[in-house]
Amino acid sequence: MTAIPTVFGDGIIDVHVASGVARITLGVQTSASAAIKDGKPEPSAMVVVPVLQLPNLARVLADVTRQIEARAKEVAAGQAATQSNQGQASQNQSNQGQPQDQVAGAFRFNG
């Protein structure tokens, strides 16, 4: 398997569509760009997608966004329940001062 380049983008700077191809310019915000370019992000990469594939790309990104929101709600509900349980436990016994373990969640979406 060949290595593929990994790029980072804080957001989208520009989208240009011509000849059936969408060119999406990703941008990254750095301390240098904030100081020098009035806070405008610098281009970091360009994603080139056939226009006919844009609906599929948008669908997958929307699905991933929904999954992230659902996971965030699950984590928030779990933390609220844990805090509630800890509050009840501290009323029943003395607080031992142990911090709550937090696990960062990660998942893969295969659409």
Side-chain angles (χ1 to χ4, degrees), residues 28-53:
V28 62
Q29 186 69 48
T30 64
S31 57
S33 66
I36 296 172
K37 297 183 179 180
D38 300 326
K40 294 181 181 177
E42 296 178 9
S44 62
M46 182 178 290
V47 178
V48 181
V49 180
V51 171
L52 294 176
Q53 291 300 319

Side-chain angles (χ1 to χ4, degrees), residues 30-109:
T30 64
S31 57
S33 66
I36 296 172
K37 297 183 179 180
D38 300 326
K40 294 181 181 177
E42 296 178 9
S44 62
M46 182 178 290
V47 178
V48 181
V49 180
V51 171
L52 294 176
Q53 291 300 319
L54 279 178
N56 294 332
L57 179 63
R59 180 190 52 80
V60 168
L61 292 175
D63 288 346
V64 169
T65 301
R66 280 191 286 278
Q67 287 185 16
I68 291 169
E69 290 170 348
R71 294 267 177 145
K73 288 178 184 177
E74 289 173 8
V75 169
Q79 288 176 347
T82 300
Q83 289 174 353
S84 175
N85 291 340
Q86 285 179 347
Q88 291 172 356
S90 67
Q91 290 174 356
N92 297 335
Q93 61 183 344
S94 65
N95 187 358
Q96 298 176 2
Q98 295 177 350
Q100 177 184 351
D101 291 336
Q102 295 193 9
V103 178
F107 66 97
R108 180 176 303 275
F109 176 83

